[in-house]
Amino acid sequence: HTPFSLCYLLPALTRSGKSKFMVDSPKTIRYGFSCLVERMSTASCACHDALTDRTRQLIAARIDATACRVSVPDLVRTLGLSRRTLETRFKQATGRTLHEEIVALRLARVKSLLTGSCATLQDIAEQTGFCSASHLTETFRRAYDISPGAFRLKASRVPPSS
């Protein structure tokens, strides 16, 4: 972990419109013909607000470790802040609400389980805090415009060798 990793450069590089750097996505920065790609180890510090980083880590840890639902009131209690303060700072730092972040991280976990396990959709729904497989399917389809089953099938296909 170098002191000048991409997560520290990203806010400075994207702040001014006069920069030579082009941001293709939150994970990639282009400079001429070269690219800086964020490593998974620095993904949690993509934001320069320590509270936001801590909140994201807490959400991700709870989604990965337990099958319980992560809620905004739980985060507020754990972090010891008022709901308004936490939601305001998080929204300012990320552009997303806490609920949107929770859903995004839950869906990322769903994608990981769909591609890395043979678990049924009902089991995945239970592991990621969705109340049912149909609720998971509806949320997944709304976010990615594809059903979880079709996503799993598409991800499992091996490209033909030439």
Side-chain angles (χ1 to χ4, degrees):
H1 203 80
T2 61
F4 296 106
S5 64
L6 177 62
C7 61
Y8 297 107
L9 293 174
L10 187 58
L13 297 176
T14 58
R15 236 179 296 210
S16 91
K18 299 177 183 176
S19 175
K20 296 178 185 176
F21 293 89
M22 300 291 290
V23 179
D24 290 338
S25 72
K27 305 282 183 203
T28 307
I29 297 178
R30 249 185 322 120
Y31 179 74
F33 294 106
S34 301
C35 287
L36 293 174
V37 179
E38 182 181 37
R39 298 181 320 232
M40 290 304 291
S41 62
T42 59
S44 66
C45 64
C47 178
H48 56 278
D49 181 22
L51 175 62
T52 301
D53 289 339
R54 175 73 180 118
T55 304
R56 282 180 166 163
Q57 291 168 356
L58 188 60
I59 294 167
R62 288 189 178 185
I63 289 169
D64 289 345
T66 66
C68 70
R69 297 184 62 151
V70 179
S71 69
V72 175
D74 290 339
L75 295 172
V76 168
R77 270 192 304 278
T78 303
L79 294 169
L81 296 168
S82 73
R83 182 176 182 139
R84 185 176 199 85
T85 299
L86 182 58
E87 287 182 334
T88 301
R89 283 192 49 193
F90 194 88
K91 176 90 175 187
Q92 285 174 344
T94 65
R96 291 205 277 202
T97 66
L98 283 167
H99 179 71
E100 289 169 342
E101 184 71 14
I102 291 167
V103 172
L105 290 173
R106 285 168 63 201
L107 288 173
R109 179 77 174 132
V110 168
K111 285 172 87 172
S112 172
L113 291 169
L114 285 170
T115 57
S117 76
C118 304
T120 66
L121 206 51
Q122 183 60 44
D123 290 341
I124 292 173
E126 290 171 9
Q127 289 176 36
T128 54
F130 287 93
C131 57
S132 67
S134 62
H135 181 233
L136 166 59
T137 299
E138 178 185 326
T139 306
F140 193 92
R141 190 184 306 262
R142 197 175 329 119
Y144 301 117
D145 205 28
I146 188 172
S147 71
F151 175 83
R152 178 180 261 171
L153 186 64
K154 187 176 178 181
S156 68
R157 289 192 188 141
V158 178
S161 59
S162 6

